[in-house]
Amino acid sequence: MQTELSNRLGIEHAVFGFTPFPAVAAAISRAGGLGVLGAVRYTAPDELRRDLDWLHEHADGRPYGLDVVMPAKKVEGVTEAEVEAMIPEGHRQFVADTLAKYGVPELAAGEASGWRITGWMEQVARHQLDVAFDYPVRLLANALGSPPADVVARAHEHDVLVAALAGSARHARKHAEGGIDIVVAQGYEAGGHTGEIASMVLTPEAVEAVAPLPVLAAGGIGSGQQIAAALALGAQGVWLGSVWLTTTEADLHSPAVTRKLLAAGSGDTVRSRALTGKPARQLRTEWTDAWDDPAGPGTLPMPLQGLLVADAVSRIQKYEVEPLLGTPVGQIVGRMNTERSVQAVFDELTRDFEKAIDRINRIAGR
């Protein structure tokens, strides 16, 4: 599964694997892809440095990347405490009432939330970059559009390629105008933040919109046949995220979440603003249903929603309150029905890719 882009980056397979887990990122790189570590959960630079040290040591000299979140719009000079003060009391009461309804225990006295989204704030992402550029990172991806021009320039000074996720051809063109190197065309089927257009439609539109820039296809992809289809549509590789959640290297800290992922079908996800304030595909739960209920107060814009629910999500996760327990994941969850290693996933991807290419060749009479 080699393309011009994979050859440029020195990877065996044109598979770019996004993950919040250093062990998964390292395993992806060792298997011949490009492991891309998600940085949004790192609120302290030292935490990111610790995990990049580990990733660098365990990638066995293979290339890897980093994914940050730098919103297109920002508010200057506002602290996290000042942002939290903007949250209406009615929304706080709705969270409290929902947790009480399901008997979710409080965190222990003095125990801080383990789930914060300050990584959505640009100043936090910039501190992450100060750490990242001390490492031989080959790719910098931004999950919320094109990074600021000075960040793109800084990455290029370090010989780092810059990728940006796009949910439409219009977004893709805007990224190209911003000087990025790779467009990740992320379809509606993807886990996490996603737009309205399916990957089968979006991929060729993005390829045409930004040619000759390389495009990675993303959204609901988790098989070799789909990779072959993506390359046939003009992509130079694929961006996979959800499929790694049920690998043995992933550290979800929740057997209940793993069970729910293994049992879920492709129709068991929903695009909801419940987690961050922007539409994000995740497992449908009674928590997402509560926020999407017209009788409720409705969600707040980013970053208010994420700050509002941070403690609640930590409590739901810690005590594994199954009716409310979920995670961002794409529609490919319907194929994620066994726990296996990252290498086993790659073995199946490459095997099924070869079968798909052979089938097309037979149809073409080759």
Side-chain angles (χ1 to χ4, degrees):
M1 296 189 290
Q2 293 183 337
T3 64
E4 181 181 345
L5 179 60
S6 66
N7 290 334
R8 180 179 180 184
L9 286 166
I11 57 178
E12 183 179 356
H13 306 299
V15 174
F16 296 69
F18 166 81
T19 175
F21 307 117
V24 175
I28 291 168
S29 291
R30 291 197 305 270
L34 187 85
V36 182
L37 179 65
V40 71
R41 68 190 180 94
Y42 296 99
T43 57
D46 286 347
E47 295 173 354
L48 178 59
R49 188 177 299 279
R50 176 201 64 207
D51 281 0
L52 282 175
D53 281 341
W54 192 96
L55 172 56
H56 183 73
E57 179 181 352
H58 291 84
D60 291 353
R62 304 292 184 91
Y64 54 87
L66 189 74
D67 180 279
V68 298
V69 177
M70 304 187 80
K73 297 179 181 179
K74 63 178 179 177
V75 179
E76 297 283 3
V78 178
T79 66
E80 182 181 341
E82 290 170 329
V83 173
E84 286 205 67
M86 301 176 188
I87 298 172
E89 186 57 36
H91 282 74
R92 295 186 187 278
Q93 189 61 49
F94 178 77
V95 170
D97 291 346
T98 304
L99 296 179
K101 176 181 177 181
Y102 290 90
V104 182
E106 296 277 356
L107 295 175
E111 183 178 358
S113 166
W115 192 88
R116 302 296 284 175
I117 54 87
T118 52
W120 303 112
M121 303 174 76
E122 181 177 323
Q123 62 266 36
V124 175
R126 286 185 176 275
H127 290 317
Q128 293 169 347
L129 294 177
D130 291 338
V131 173
F133 289 132
D134 288 338
Y135 296 82
V137 173
R138 294 300 312 279
L139 177 73
L140 174 67
N142 188 38
L144 290 180
S146 302
D150 67 296
V151 171
V152 175
R154 187 179 179 193
H156 288 165
E157 288 172 3
H158 287 81
D159 196 28
V160 176
L161 296 182
V162 180
L165 274 67
S168 69
R170 179 176 61 83
H171 291 156
R173 281 190 290 267
K174 185 176 180 181
H175 297 343
E177 292 166 0
I180 60 95
D181 306 291
I182 302 167
V183 169
V184 181
Q186 180 176 264
Y188 171 88
E189 309 94 326
H193 295 117
T194 178
E196 306 275 353
I197 305 172
S199 56
M200 192 75 174
V201 174
L202 176 61
T203 301
E205 286 187 351
V207 169
E208 182 177 350
V210 302
L213 280 185
V215 170
L216 300 178
I221 299 174
S223 73
Q225 295 94 330
Q226 290 171 303
I227 296 175
L231 299 189
L233 293 172
Q236 287 204 31
V238 292
W239 178 273
L240 308 185
S242 297
V243 72
W244 315 114
L245 290 174
T246 52
T247 58
T248 53
E249 292 89 347
D251 189 9
L252 288 175
H253 299 294
S254 173
V257 169
T258 299
R259 287 196 302 271
K260 293 185 81 168
L261 288 170
L262 295 173
S266 56
D268 292 328
T269 67
V270 63
R271 286 172 73 246
S272 172
R273 297 178 184 267
L275 195 60
T276 68
K278 285 184 177 291
R281 186 172 295 284
Q282 54 203 281
L283 284 177
R284 182 176 181 179
T285 66
E286 294 183 36
W287 177 255
T288 62
D289 285 349
W291 281 105
D292 294 339
D293 187 338
T299 55
L300 297 170
M302 180 185 281
L304 298 181
Q305 181 70 17
L307 291 169
L308 168 66
V309 304
D311 286 345
V313 171
S314 288
R315 289 165 61 184
I316 292 166
Q317 291 176 343
K318 177 178 180 178
Y319 299 109
E320 296 196 313
V321 183
E322 294 210 25
L324 305 179
L325 189 63
T327 186
V329 69
Q331 291 180 329
I332 196 63
V333 71
R335 292 180 60 97
M336 295 159 48
N337 47 29
T338 59
E339 289 187 80
R340 51 194 176 146
S341 68
V342 167
Q343 184 61 61
V345 173
F346 264 89
D347 290 343
E348 182 177 83
L349 291 175
T350 54
R351 181 171 61 249
D352 289 347
F353 176 83
E354 290 176 357
K355 291 179 180 177
I357 296 300
D358 287 345
R359 183 163 56 247
I360 294 302
N361 284 336
R362 287 196 302 272
I363 291 172
R366 296 180 180 176

mmCIF file of all heavy atoms in Angstrom, residues 16-32:
data_model
loop_
_atom_site.group_PDB
_atom_site.id
_atom_site.type_symbol
_atom_site.label_atom_id
_atom_site.label_comp_id
_atom_site.label_asym_id
_atom_site.label_seq_id
_atom_site.Cartn_x
_atom_site.Cartn_y
_atom_site.Cartn_z
ATOM 1 N N PHE A 16 -2.216 6.167 7.943
ATOM 2 C CA PHE A 16 -1.911 7.140 8.985
ATOM 3 C C PHE A 16 -2.875 6.863 10.139
ATOM 4 O O PHE A 16 -4.094 6.939 9.969
ATOM 5 C CB PHE A 16 -2.088 8.562 8.458
ATOM 6 C CG PHE A 16 -1.130 8.916 7.360
ATOM 7 C CD1 PHE A 16 -1.233 8.326 6.104
ATOM 8 C CD2 PHE A 16 -0.109 9.838 7.573
ATOM 9 C CE1 PHE A 16 -0.343 8.644 5.080
ATOM 10 C CE2 PHE A 16 0.786 10.161 6.571
ATOM 11 C CZ PHE A 16 0.670 9.560 5.318
ATOM 12 N N GLY A 17 -2.333 6.521 11.307
ATOM 13 C CA GLY A 17 -3.167 6.094 12.412
ATOM 14 C C GLY A 17 -3.206 7.103 13.534
ATOM 15 O O GLY A 17 -2.207 7.299 14.231
ATOM 16 N N PHE A 18 -4.355 7.748 13.723
ATOM 17 C CA PHE A 18 -4.534 8.683 14.828
ATOM 18 C C PHE A 18 -4.943 7.940 16.085
ATOM 19 O O PHE A 18 -5.808 7.059 16.042
ATOM 20 C CB PHE A 18 -5.605 9.722 14.483
ATOM 21 C CG PHE A 18 -6.078 10.492 15.693
ATOM 22 C CD1 PHE A 18 -5.342 11.559 16.176
ATOM 23 C CD2 PHE A 18 -7.236 10.118 16.358
ATOM 24 C CE1 PHE A 18 -5.755 12.249 17.303
ATOM 25 C CE2 PHE A 18 -7.658 10.806 17.490
ATOM 26 C CZ PHE A 18 -6.916 11.873 17.962
ATOM 27 N N THR A 19 -4.348 8.303 17.229
ATOM 28 C CA THR A 19 -4.660 7.643 18.485
ATOM 29 C C THR A 19 -4.238 8.519 19.653
ATOM 30 O O THR A 19 -3.245 9.238 19.567
ATOM 31 C CB THR A 19 -3.933 6.290 18.588
ATOM 32 O OG1 THR A 19 -4.173 5.723 19.899
ATOM 33 C CG2 THR A 19 -2.436 6.443 18.383
ATOM 34 N N PRO A 20 -4.970 8.459 20.762
ATOM 35 C CA PRO A 20 -4.526 9.184 21.957
ATOM 36 C C PRO A 20 -3.526 8.393 22.793
ATOM 37 O O PRO A 20 -3.065 8.894 23.828
ATOM 38 C CB PRO A 20 -5.841 9.381 22.738
ATOM 39 C CG PRO A 20 -6.681 8.212 22.351
ATOM 40 C CD PRO A 20 -6.337 7.908 20.921
ATOM 41 N N PHE A 21 -3.178 7.188 22.352
ATOM 42 C CA PHE A 21 -2.346 6.302 23.163
ATOM 43 C C PHE A 21 -0.946 6.153 22.558
ATOM 44 O O PHE A 21 -0.804 5.671 21.423
ATOM 45 C CB PHE A 21 -2.994 4.930 23.282
ATOM 46 C CG PHE A 21 -4.411 4.984 23.771
ATOM 47 C CD1 PHE A 21 -5.458 4.544 22.959
ATOM 48 C CD2 PHE A 21 -4.710 5.485 25.023
ATOM 49 C CE1 PHE A 21 -6.763 4.596 23.399
ATOM 50 C CE2 PHE A 21 -6.027 5.539 25.477
ATOM 51 C CZ PHE A 21 -7.052 5.097 24.667
ATOM 52 N N PRO A 22 0.111 6.520 23.299
ATOM 53 C CA PRO A 22 1.478 6.378 22.765
ATOM 54 C C PRO A 22 1.808 4.951 22.341
ATOM 55 O O PRO A 22 2.491 4.746 21.332
ATOM 56 C CB PRO A 22 2.361 6.825 23.941
ATOM 57 C CG PRO A 22 1.494 7.703 24.763
ATOM 58 C CD PRO A 22 0.103 7.149 24.639
ATOM 59 N N ALA A 23 1.334 3.945 23.093
ATOM 60 C CA ALA A 23 1.650 2.557 22.748
ATOM 61 C C ALA A 23 1.045 2.174 21.408
ATOM 62 O O ALA A 23 1.656 1.422 20.628
ATOM 63 C CB ALA A 23 1.151 1.616 23.843
ATOM 64 N N VAL A 24 -0.146 2.687 21.107
ATOM 65 C CA VAL A 24 -0.774 2.398 19.818
ATOM 66 C C VAL A 24 -0.028 3.124 18.707
ATOM 67 O O VAL A 24 0.246 2.547 17.640
ATOM 68 C CB VAL A 24 -2.259 2.807 19.831
ATOM 69 C CG1 VAL A 24 -2.881 2.611 18.447
ATOM 70 C CG2 VAL A 24 -3.018 1.995 20.867
ATOM 71 N N ALA A 25 0.319 4.390 18.936
ATOM 72 C CA ALA A 25 1.048 5.157 17.915
ATOM 73 C C ALA A 25 2.365 4.475 17.565
ATOM 74 O O ALA A 25 2.732 4.353 16.386
ATOM 75 C CB ALA A 25 1.292 6.584 18.398
ATOM 76 N N ALA A 26 3.098 4.027 18.589
ATOM 77 C CA ALA A 26 4.373 3.352 18.342
ATOM 78 C C ALA A 26 4.158 2.057 17.561
ATOM 79 O O ALA A 26 4.922 1.745 16.633
ATOM 80 C CB ALA A 26 5.076 3.064 19.667
ATOM 81 N N ALA A 27 3.121 1.308 17.915
ATOM 82 C CA ALA A 27 2.851 0.048 17.225
ATOM 83 C C ALA A 27 2.451 0.277 15.775
ATOM 84 O O ALA A 27 2.822 -0.506 14.879
ATOM 85 C CB ALA A 27 1.751 -0.727 17.956
ATOM 86 N N ILE A 28 1.703 1.339 15.503
ATOM 87 C CA ILE A 28 1.339 1.672 14.127
ATOM 88 C C ILE A 28 2.589 1.958 13.308
ATOM 89 O O ILE A 28 2.737 1.475 12.183
ATOM 90 C CB ILE A 28 0.370 2.875 14.102
ATOM 91 C CG1 ILE A 28 -0.985 2.487 14.688
ATOM 92 C CG2 ILE A 28 0.204 3.415 12.680
ATOM 93 C CD1 ILE A 28 -1.900 3.674 14.957
ATOM 94 N N SER A 29 3.491 2.749 13.871
ATOM 95 C CA SER A 29 4.718 3.069 13.153
ATOM 96 C C SER A 29 5.566 1.821 12.938
ATOM 97 O O SER A 29 6.121 1.610 11.850
ATOM 98 C CB SER A 29 5.513 4.141 13.910
ATOM 99 O OG SER A 29 4.837 5.387 13.878
ATOM 100 N N ARG A 30 5.668 0.976 13.957
ATOM 101 C CA ARG A 30 6.451 -0.254 13.805
ATOM 102 C C ARG A 30 5.851 -1.173 12.755
ATOM 103 O O ARG A 30 6.571 -1.913 12.074
ATOM 104 C CB ARG A 30 6.538 -0.998 15.148
ATOM 105 C CG ARG A 30 7.374 -0.324 16.202
ATOM 106 C CD ARG A 30 7.756 -1.305 17.316
ATOM 107 N NE ARG A 30 6.592 -1.944 17.910
ATOM 108 C CZ ARG A 30 5.914 -1.481 18.955
ATOM 109 N NH1 ARG A 30 6.274 -0.348 19.528
ATOM 110 N NH2 ARG A 30 4.879 -2.154 19.433
ATOM 111 N N ALA A 31 4.540 -1.133 12.597
ATOM 112 C CA ALA A 31 3.868 -2.004 11.628
ATOM 113 C C ALA A 31 3.981 -1.473 10.200
ATOM 114 O O ALA A 31 3.527 -2.141 9.263
ATOM 115 C CB ALA A 31 2.400 -2.164 12.008
ATOM 116 N N GLY A 32 4.566 -0.303 10.029
ATOM 117 C CA GLY A 32 4.773 0.224 8.686
ATOM 118 C C GLY A 32 3.902 1.397 8.315
ATOM 119 O O GLY A 32 3.996 1.913 7.199
#
